[in-house]
Amino acid sequence: EPEVTQTPSHQVTQMGQEVILRCVPISNHLYFYWYRQILGQKVEFLVSFYNNEISEKSEIFDDQFSVERPDGSNFTLKIRSTKLEDSAMYFCASIQGYNEQFFGPGTRLTVL
Amino acid sequence: GQQVMQIPQYQHVQEGEDFTTYCNSSTTLSNIQWYKQRPGGHPVFLIQLVKSGEVKKQKRLTFQFGEAKKNSSLHITATQTTDVGTYFCAGRGGSYIPTFGRGTSLIVHP
């Protein structure tokens, strides 16, 4: 069964450092998403990506965040200068159409 | 903006008891999805409801979508320890972006 994969599973970084979280969506899917989930809280939408550009983004997705699909398979989330409050689980998800989202296993980001 | 409220936040039940979680949206939804997240895991899609008043069943799970398409519920009959996890609803308005509820964490005591 096809699945969304994410690397790394855990990233520890110092405050102010840049991090790149990587995702490989399901190959025939068209829409890609990043979510974050602070420990014990709900899943929060960050950004959606379609046709090689951002289609929607939330208030959380400020200038410190960017997304790319550099090579047609990987989908990356970059945080330029991490803050303590960026510590969370980051989930990538992909979708073929107007149906279920398939979530990856997540990357746990810890900012020290 | 669209808000989705989900209650209760936590629910403790004895194995064999029933469980229900409720979602209410501030706006009319085009559809609502339900996900289950096991402890330490990622959200896994359970079902999508689209039609007003729709009811769907998956074994012991019953999902309902309100007539006004602003509320939904998930009911589990005779809970088992394998049902443990957090159940999230996610409502969509006019866009592809779902708004997730806070989730209801189900704890089943054997």
Side-chain angles (χ1 to χ4, degrees), chain A residues 31 33 35 37 40-45 47-48 55-56 89 91 95 97-106 108, chain B residues 4 9-10 30-31 33 35 37 40-45 48 88 92-103:
Chain A
Y31 300 87
Y33 304 80
Y35 294 88
Q37 186 178 34
Q41 298 188 23
K42 68 176 182 178
V43 177
E44 297 177 291
F45 166 74
V47 65
S48 63
S55 52
E56 293 190 56
M89 198 76 168
F91 291 107
I95 188 172
Y98 204 52
N99 295 309
E100 66 178 284
Q101 294 197 350
F102 290 82
F103 282 78
R108 181 173 301 283
Chain B
V4 174
Q9 189 172 353
Y10 299 97
S30 57
N31 66 47
Q33 298 179 338
Y35 292 82
Q37 185 176 26
H42 59 277
V44 175
F45 175 82
Q48 177 171 280
F88 291 95
R92 280 201 181 109
S95 77
Y96 278 93
I97 307 306
T99 300
F100 280 78
R102 288 195 62 181

Side-chain angles (χ1 to χ4, degrees), chain B residues 20-91:
Chain B
T20 306
T21 174
Y22 301 90
C23 273
N24 286 288
S25 170
S26 58
T27 58
T28 302
L29 300 171
S30 57
N31 66 47
I32 193 160
Q33 298 179 338
W34 285 91
Y35 292 82
K36 177 182 179 181
Q37 185 176 26
R38 294 183 186 277
H42 59 277
V44 175
F45 175 82
L46 294 176
I47 209 159
Q48 177 171 280
L49 304 172
V50 179
K51 298 176 184 175
S52 169
E54 189 170 14
V55 178
K56 286 188 176 180
K57 292 191 176 185
Q58 289 179 349
K59 298 182 180 178
R60 294 178 294 104
L61 278 62
T62 301
F63 303 85
Q64 292 188 320
F65 201 10
E67 294 289 341
K69 299 182 75 172
K70 294 181 75 172
N71 57 70
S72 181
S73 65
L74 158 59
H75 180 83
I76 302 178
T77 304
T79 54
Q80 300 173 359
T81 54
T82 53
D83 295 325
V84 164
T86 300
Y87 293 84
F88 291 95
C89 62

Side-chain angles (χ1 to χ4, degrees), chain A residues 3-8 20-34 49-53 66-78 92-94 107:
Chain A
E3 58 182 18
V4 177
T5 59
Q6 289 185 244
T7 54
I20 297 176
L21 310 182
R22 292 182 168 79
C23 168
V24 179
I26 295 173
S27 61
N28 63 343
H29 285 190
L30 302 175
Y31 300 87
F32 314 113
Y33 304 80
W34 282 102
F49 194 83
Y50 171 71
N51 203 24
N52 288 322
E53 60 183 22
S66 63
V67 289
E68 275 189 339
R69 195 151 189 253
D71 57 12
S73 61
N74 291 285
F75 179 48
T76 62
L77 174 69
K78 182 191 291 185
C92 172
S94 69
T107 293

